[in-house]
Amino acid sequence: MTEPEKAPGTRRRFSGARLVVAVAVASALAAAGVTALLVNIMERKQEAKNPFYRVVELDDTISDPAVWGKNFPLQYDGYLRTVDQQRTRYGGSEAVARTPTQADPRSVVAQSRLEEDPRLVTLWSGYAFATDFREERGHAHMLEDQVFTERQHVTQQPGTCIHCHASVYVPYKKLGDGDLIKGFEKMNQMPFAEARKNVEHPVSCIDCHDPTTMQLRVTRPGFIEGIAALKASQGVPGYRVNEHATRQEMRTYVCGQCHVEYYFKGKEKRLTYPWAKGINIDQIMSYYDEDGHTDWTHKLTGAKVLKAQHPEFELYNQGIHARSGVACADCHMPYQRVGAMKISDHHVRSPLLNINRACQTCHKWSEAELLERAETIQTRTFQTRNLAMDALVDLIHDLERAQKTGRPDASLAKARDFQKRAQFYLDFVEAENSMGFHADQEAIRILSNSINFSRLGQNALRPEEAPSTSTSATEGAR
């Protein structure tokens, strides 16, 4: 039985209806796609206009970073990651397990620098650092590591130490009844354990940002006073960092609040940055010579000596990156894109762990090439540092032997003075966290001077002093 054919007019009507439906569906899909695209574009533009959503109201009394993190979750996530422990070839920290005790509940610490290089124990003999000195961990650990270091058990540390180991802006304001400097002065004079009761967090958002505008600001009195003294030495009196610094300068100054050389001045233990004559090492040494400050008396030699702290700001300022206008944040907190937003990476760390964003933004070389260049500089610095350290250890042992033979102090004074200089110049590079990378040629110059000071110290111990062979460059450094 044959199926009857449909009439030609019926087939044309049916095909026409299908075509209309298809066009309608296609048009609807196209319209939906365009709408979605436009909405996405508008959302991205809105994100770019409004880099954060104000979930909570921030003010000048909130130091808890978790509260700030409600408005700035991306930055807060990065901040939390500063707990990471990862070492580079010559820096960083690796996680070392330890058994917690009642006195020290930490189950993880960083590697001991004293075990890595026992010469440091000789260099710092009689000083608390010869008891416990470990690689620095990230910002998240800065408070607990200072609280539980064994150095706390061999010396009475002042509240001054809190300045760079905690979020101090709010506590200083409270202690000073609203006056930041008065609160700073009060906490300096407290024993460390008492000062610790006044702080809750390691460095926090409020230490670097204005809570209403989010602009960078300097809050630590040590830097406020130190940079003013430095500017005055350069012919700029009355410098107020938060009013006069450029935005790019602030991207270095907020780090320079703590990553510096410092000492505790007078019985008030006032935290002081020795910059009144300038910030290169010769100017700082000249400052200490005039001020008369020394950190401790060396146990083996009786010399009054100095230990550099962590002069990253000072050494960086002698290098090509500072000369080129590159800020600390450009390399240690490089910009990153998240959606349409451009933010600073708050996972502060070595650029060598983040070469793609930290270095390749400016340097168009492969990551392997850039890493090799950086490690070549560091290796050369490390080798010269070892020569300087051997020379200083030799001088210390020579002085120790001379002292044991009963030689009078007057005949040892010159050698002891050279020990002080050799120690400080060596330590300036040893304690600085870049193994010379921040200013490689300056680092080698400093270490070369340290070697020469040790050699001159040994010459000064000879029964009949040989004619001085010091160079004009060395004399200039003194």
Side-chain angles (χ1 to χ4, degrees), residues 283-434:
Q283 294 164 328
I284 292 173
M285 191 75 243
S286 176
Y287 173 93
Y288 280 134
D289 283 340
E290 188 174 298
D291 182 79
H293 171 79
T294 55
D295 287 314
W296 88 103
T297 300
H298 198 274
K299 186 177 180 180
L300 301 178
T301 68
K304 294 185 180 302
V305 283
L306 293 159
K307 184 192 177 303
Q309 307 306 324
H310 27 76
E312 282 84 55
F313 179 76
E314 293 90 340
L315 191 62
Y316 148 84
N317 269 289
Q318 314 307 315
I320 188 62
H321 285 93
R323 188 80 173 178
S324 303
V326 178
C328 301
D330 286 319
C331 305
H332 294 277
M333 303 176 67
Y335 289 118
Q336 61 180 143
R337 285 211 169 271
V338 182
M341 290 187 289
K342 176 184 168 186
I343 65 172
S344 291
D345 186 352
H346 281 59
H347 183 195
V348 184
R349 54 183 163 160
S350 167
L352 299 184
L353 299 173
N354 190 21
I355 290 175
N356 173 253
R357 283 194 277 109
C359 308
Q360 289 183 314
T361 302
C362 298
H363 301 289
K364 305 303 180 186
W365 299 91
S366 69
E367 290 193 29
E369 169 68 16
L370 292 171
L371 179 62
E372 183 178 349
R373 289 186 188 191
E375 289 188 341
T376 296
I377 289 172
Q378 291 181 319
T379 297
R380 290 169 180 169
T381 307
F382 184 72
Q383 291 170 345
T384 311
R385 167 261 197 193
N386 281 337
L387 295 175
M389 196 172 289
D390 283 342
L392 180 51
V393 169
D394 287 344
L395 170 59
I396 289 171
H397 289 323
D398 284 355
L399 255 168
E400 186 181 14
R401 280 190 289 270
Q403 192 171 239
K404 286 180 179 177
T405 62
R407 288 180 61 171
D409 283 349
S411 70
L412 302 177
K414 195 170 184 179
R416 285 170 171 163
D417 184 68
F418 279 123
Q419 181 191 345
K420 178 178 74 172
R421 297 174 195 285
Q423 156 69 35
F424 188 63
Y425 274 62
L426 166 60
D427 221 21
F428 204 85
V429 176
E430 166 64 22
E432 200 269 344
N433 281 317
S434 77

Side-chain angles (χ1 to χ4, degrees), residues 110-127:
Q111 69 271 27
S112 169
R113 294 292 311 282
L114 302 181
E115 292 174 5
E116 287 180 343
D117 196 331
R119 291 176 296 181
L120 293 171
V121 177
T122 303
L123 262 54
W124 299 333
S125 178
Y127 200 43

Side-chain angles (χ1 to χ4, degrees), residues 65-291:
V67 177
W68 289 63
K70 292 179 180 178
N71 287 354
F72 303 96
L74 298 173
Q75 289 87 344
Y76 182 58
D77 285 350
Y79 168 87
L80 293 177
R81 292 193 64 193
T82 61
V83 297
D84 291 351
Q85 289 189 249
Q86 187 175 359
R87 74 176 304 170
T88 60
R89 186 170 181 181
Y90 293 104
S93 63
E94 61 186 79
V96 177
R98 70 176 298 279
T99 302
T101 63
Q102 190 170 3
D104 182 354
R106 293 176 299 173
S107 59
V108 175
V109 293
Q111 69 271 27
S112 169
R113 294 292 311 282
L114 302 181
E115 292 174 5
E116 287 180 343
D117 196 331
R119 291 176 296 181
L120 293 171
V121 177
T122 303
L123 262 54
W124 299 333
S125 178
Y127 200 43
F129 277 84
T131 304
D132 183 19
F133 177 57
R134 297 178 179 276
E135 195 65 74
E136 292 86 354
R137 297 199 288 175
H139 283 167
H141 299 289
M142 61 192 285
L143 181 54
E144 66 170 351
D145 282 354
Q146 182 64 17
V147 170
F148 297 116
T149 175
E150 292 177 28
R151 296 195 296 273
Q152 294 285 359
H153 303 299
V154 296
T155 188
Q156 180 71 49
Q157 295 200 337
T160 318
C161 299
I162 289 288
H163 182 276
C164 287
H165 285 278
S167 180
V168 289
Y169 178 72
V170 174
Y172 280 167
K173 294 285 286 286
K174 286 182 179 176
L175 279 174
D177 293 326
D179 188 317
L180 185 74
I181 300 300
K182 285 184 179 177
F184 162 69
E185 291 169 343
K186 283 186 179 179
M187 195 177 291
N188 285 342
Q189 299 178 56
M190 294 178 181
F192 180 86
E194 184 181 344
R196 170 65 183 87
K197 296 174 184 174
N198 289 275
V199 299
E200 297 181 72
H201 309 284
V203 63
S204 181
C205 318
I206 198 170
D207 297 301
C208 301
H209 291 281
D210 183 297
T212 54
T213 65
M214 297 305 131
Q215 286 187 332
L216 290 174
R217 67 175 179 179
V218 170
T219 58
R220 305 203 181 225
F223 189 88
I224 291 172
E225 296 180 352
I227 196 71
L230 174 62
K231 292 292 184 180
S233 75
Q234 297 170 344
V236 186
Y239 186 81
R240 294 183 293 278
V241 61
N242 288 313
E243 297 177 31
H244 299 148
T246 67
R247 179 179 177 278
Q248 185 67 357
E249 286 175 333
M250 291 298 279
R251 299 179 74 242
T252 289
Y253 288 173
V254 292
C255 305
Q257 293 187 89
C258 293
H259 290 266
V260 293
E261 163 63 5
Y262 60 81
Y263 73 109
F264 304 156
K265 189 179 182 68
K267 59 182 175 54
E268 297 84 7
K269 303 295 182 185
R270 189 183 194 90
L271 181 68
T272 303
Y273 298 174
W275 297 347
K277 290 178 173 291
I279 56 170
N280 74 42
I281 189 169
D282 307 323
Q283 294 164 328
I284 292 173
M285 191 75 243
S286 176
Y287 173 93
Y288 280 134
D289 283 340
E290 188 174 298
D291 182 79

Side-chain angles (χ1 to χ4, degrees), residues 446-466:
I446 292 170
L447 292 172
S448 299
N449 273 287
S450 175
I451 293 170
N452 200 36
F453 287 138
S454 292
R455 182 179 64 83
L456 292 171
Q458 289 179 294
N459 281 347
L461 291 172
R462 293 179 179 178
E464 292 187 10
E465 186 177 334

